[in-house]
Amino acid sequence: MADTTSNTPAADTAADRARESELSPIGRFLKATELDIRMLGMVGALLVIWVGIHILSGGLFLTPRNLWNLSVQTSSVAIMATGMVLVIVMRNIDLSVGSVEGVIGMVMGVAQAEFLIRVMGFQLGNPWIWIIALAAGVVLGLMIGALQGFIIAYLEVPAFIVTLGGLLIWRGMAWLMTSGRTVAPLDATFQLMGGGPRGSIGATASWIVGILACVAVALMLLNGRSQRKRFKFPLRPVWAESLLGVVACAAILGAVWIANSYPWPIGIVRQYAQRTGITVPEGGLFIAHGIAIPVLIAVAVGIVMTFITRRTRFGRYVFAIGGNPEAAELAGINTRWVTMKAFMIMGVLAAISAAIASARLNASTNALGTLDELLVIAAAVIGGTSLAGGSGTVLGAMLGALLMQSLQSGMVLLGIDSPLQSVVVGAVLVVAVWLDTVYRKRV
């Protein structure tokens, strides 16, 4: 009779324990927590960069003021990077996102400062101005993405060529709209999306958001554990899930504390209030910022995009096409329509980024979004999205955007010239792709 003891659950458990005993303490920790080694490496690199720049800058980098500004500066690039993940995973590229951001920002600026007021007769401060302008920008982004996606998917023109042409076309269109003129000022409510004295939710609301986020983390862990039990998947140790929850909540509440530690002088806020007609609290010398609105928008986009990539049929199709386009098509996936939708999503995200960037400047300029396409692609690649297609994460891309912006912000604090900044950013991108290649050869 054949020996079947190796097929029993007890034997499988014993074999798993034997293999686990051979791992190092770090290996057992990583297996228990199921943490992504590449993600941990990126977080480690980010911390090294922060500490190094903080020391070299004489203690200027890791301050509430700089970190608050860093989070706002990262928001627009991080939003577009979440969409670039879909594009690159499908083995495509979008070189036009910076120019699309620029032309959409110009359209929204002209709509607010000129068209709706001078042509349509809206009064200054009308609450519909910013809504119509934002809606027009989002629709335009959707249309541009659909146009480029259609040419790529259905006319079978390479994405590199289509989006390279788009880079030139949309940048030129932005200039032609106003003959190179800067359009300002923008609607006061629209400016909230850019941060600033009013563009944050305050200390109390920030703590509420932080606590709700911690509750959401706990519910996600509990739901994940119940789903594993339901489908009889291996469970993480209780200590591992507890540790993940504690670390995540500590990071969230720490970010809220930093945001609330950056106060604006109440005099500056009152001066801003006089121009915009808002009210501010009486008394005191400072008012707490809290979490910036563009940061909340970026987090919301990240959550939605993570849900799309992990929980929807469209997201599964994107990764299936990136892994093996021929097999995906033979499996019945409408690869052309999925490709077109990915570029449509990219266009909408470029519109959201344009709103944040122009609101922060309180103006629409022809320089808006210049070279952002390189930062967005770099953020996605540094975040673990493979140029070979088939793999990538939204969280990794957002962390990549934070890393890239940290480098740029740190180099500004250190007084490094702009040309050398470009050299550093380019070198980081090349090293990131090389590391991705080495990692894939070893996996």
Side-chain angles (χ1 to χ4, degrees):
M1 179 181 292
D3 184 8
T4 60
T5 56
S6 61
N7 295 325
T8 63
D12 291 342
T13 303
D16 290 340
R17 289 176 179 174
R19 284 193 295 267
E20 186 173 348
S21 64
E22 296 176 358
L23 296 174
S24 65
I26 296 178
R28 289 196 294 271
F29 173 80
L30 293 175
K31 182 179 179 181
T33 56
E34 298 180 0
L35 291 173
D36 187 350
I37 298 177
R38 298 180 68 181
M39 199 72 68
L40 285 177
M42 192 186 313
V43 173
L46 184 63
L47 293 176
V48 170
I49 290 171
W50 281 7
V51 173
I53 295 176
H54 185 71
I55 295 173
L56 294 174
S57 64
L60 297 177
F61 190 83
L62 293 178
T63 60
R65 176 182 180 180
N66 188 66
L67 292 177
W68 191 91
N69 287 319
L70 177 63
S71 67
V72 174
Q73 293 163 3
T74 304
S75 299
S76 60
V77 174
I79 288 171
M80 289 191 289
T82 64
M84 191 60 72
V85 170
L86 298 179
V87 173
I88 296 179
V89 162
M90 297 182 69
R91 304 186 184 186
N92 289 310
I93 199 72
D94 192 344
L95 301 175
S96 68
V97 289
S99 297
V100 172
E101 178 188 1
V103 73
I104 293 175
M106 187 60 71
V107 167
M108 290 190 290
V110 170
Q112 294 172 70
E114 298 179 2
F115 180 76
L116 292 176
I117 294 176
R118 298 178 185 176
V119 179
M120 302 302 296
F122 282 73
Q123 298 295 319
L124 288 173
N126 189 308
W128 282 101
I129 290 178
W130 75 273
I131 297 175
I132 295 174
L134 181 61
V138 171
V139 171
L140 178 59
L142 183 68
M143 293 173 61
I144 292 175
L147 174 62
Q148 295 189 155
F150 177 82
I151 296 173
I152 293 166
Y154 290 92
L155 302 185
E156 299 182 354
V157 181
F160 181 89
I161 299 301
V162 174
T163 57
L164 179 61
L167 182 151
L168 301 172
I169 292 170
W170 306 123
R171 183 62 62 190
M173 292 294 294
W175 192 93
L176 289 173
M177 287 183 63
T178 60
S179 298
R181 178 170 48 88
T182 296
V183 178
L186 304 183
D187 181 75
T189 305
F190 185 84
Q191 293 177 41
L192 297 179
M193 289 185 287
R198 287 185 62 203
S200 55
I201 62 176
T204 302
S206 297
W207 284 119
I208 293 174
V209 169
I211 292 171
L212 291 177
C214 289
V215 172
V217 168
L219 292 176
M220 286 175 59
L221 290 172
L222 290 174
N223 180 67
R225 191 171 184 84
S226 65
Q227 291 295 321
R228 285 168 177 254
K229 286 182 178 179
R230 178 184 174 187
F231 295 104
K232 299 180 180 180
F233 289 163
L235 297 178
R236 281 188 296 234
V238 175
W239 68 264
E241 295 203 344
S242 300
L243 178 63
L244 292 174
V246 169
V247 171
C249 288
I252 292 169
L253 296 179
V256 173
W257 175 76
I258 291 173
N260 288 338
S261 299
Y262 174 33
W264 276 87
I266 195 68
I268 294 178
V269 180
R270 288 203 175 106
Q271 290 176 8
Y272 187 88
Q274 291 175 358
R275 298 197 305 269
T276 57
I278 66 170
T279 57
V280 295
E282 296 293 334
L285 298 176
F286 299 95
I287 183 171
H289 258 55
I291 302 173
I293 290 176
V295 175
L296 289 178
I297 295 174
V299 171
V301 168
I303 293 172
V304 172
M305 292 299 292
T306 299
F307 177 81
I308 289 174
T309 55
R310 292 188 175 183
R311 302 291 182 181
T312 67
R313 182 181 298 176
F314 167 75
R316 292 191 292 271
Y317 285 173
V318 166
F319 283 88
I321 294 170
N324 192 324
E326 293 78 12
E329 191 164 0
L330 290 173
I333 297 175
N334 189 343
T335 57
R336 294 182 176 183
W337 176 231
V338 173
T339 300
M340 186 171 170
K341 284 198 290 186
F343 279 92
M344 291 166 68
I345 292 173
M346 188 72 255
V348 171
L349 295 177
I352 297 173
S353 295
I356 292 174
S358 58
R360 181 169 171 77
L361 292 173
N362 189 23
S364 294
T365 70
N366 288 284
L368 186 70
T370 301
L371 295 182
D372 273 7
E373 58 274 357
L374 301 183
L375 294 177
V376 171
I377 294 171
V381 173
I382 290 172
T385 305
S386 174
L387 292 172
S391 67
T393 62
V394 170
L395 177 59
M398 298 186 79
L399 284 175
L402 180 59
L403 190 149
M404 294 296 296
Q405 195 61 53
S406 297
L407 279 174
Q408 286 202 320
S409 176
M411 287 188 289
V412 170
L413 286 178
L414 296 175
I416 296 176
D417 293 335
S418 180
L420 186 55
Q421 293 181 29
S422 300
V423 171
V424 172
V425 171
V428 169
L429 177 58
V430 173
V431 170
V433 175
W434 171 69
L435 290 175
D436 176 72
T437 303
V438 173
Y439 176 81
R440 293 192 171 278
K441 287 181 178 180
R442 294 184 177 181
V443 172

